[in-house]
Amino acid sequence: ALKAYAEAARADLMKAVEDAASQLPHTQKIIFILRDLQHLSPAEVAEILETTEDKIKSNLYHARIAIGKYLKQHYQTQTMLEL
């Protein structure tokens, strides 16, 4: 039962992250996917997007902040609905 709960929680988190990423500006979304979901290095992403590593890092920072805010709101709302 605990394993099933953990799998359901992980699936819910992944869905929430995907929903959050879908709301990002295009460049931030691509960088977030390549860095955090595909696990490419900043240098690899910079080469793919033909930009600098500093721009990759800046965009990723802003993407992570936005996703964190979305997740915080998502889980606060979900918790309130469960009460």
Side-chain angles (χ1 to χ4, degrees), residues 18-45:
E18 289 171 6
D19 290 347
S22 74
Q23 297 180 17
L24 293 172
H26 182 73
T27 300
Q28 288 181 12
K29 181 181 355 179
I30 296 299
I31 291 169
F32 174 76
I33 290 168
L34 293 174
R35 284 284 293 126
D36 286 358
L37 303 182
Q38 299 288 325
H39 308 290
L40 298 181
S41 71
E44 291 169 318
V45 177

Side-chain angles (χ1 to χ4, degrees), residues 1-11:
L2 186 58
K3 185 176 180 180
Y5 176 79
E7 288 175 9
R10 180 172 169 73

Side-chain angles (χ1 to χ4, degrees), residues 61-81:
Y61 170 80
H62 292 290
R64 287 175 175 167
I65 294 294
I67 288 173
K69 287 179 182 177
Y70 178 93
L71 292 176
K72 183 176 179 181
Q73 182 180 17
H74 171 78
Y75 284 105
Q76 283 179 341
T77 301
Q78 192 175 46
T79 302
M80 294 297 282
L81 293 174

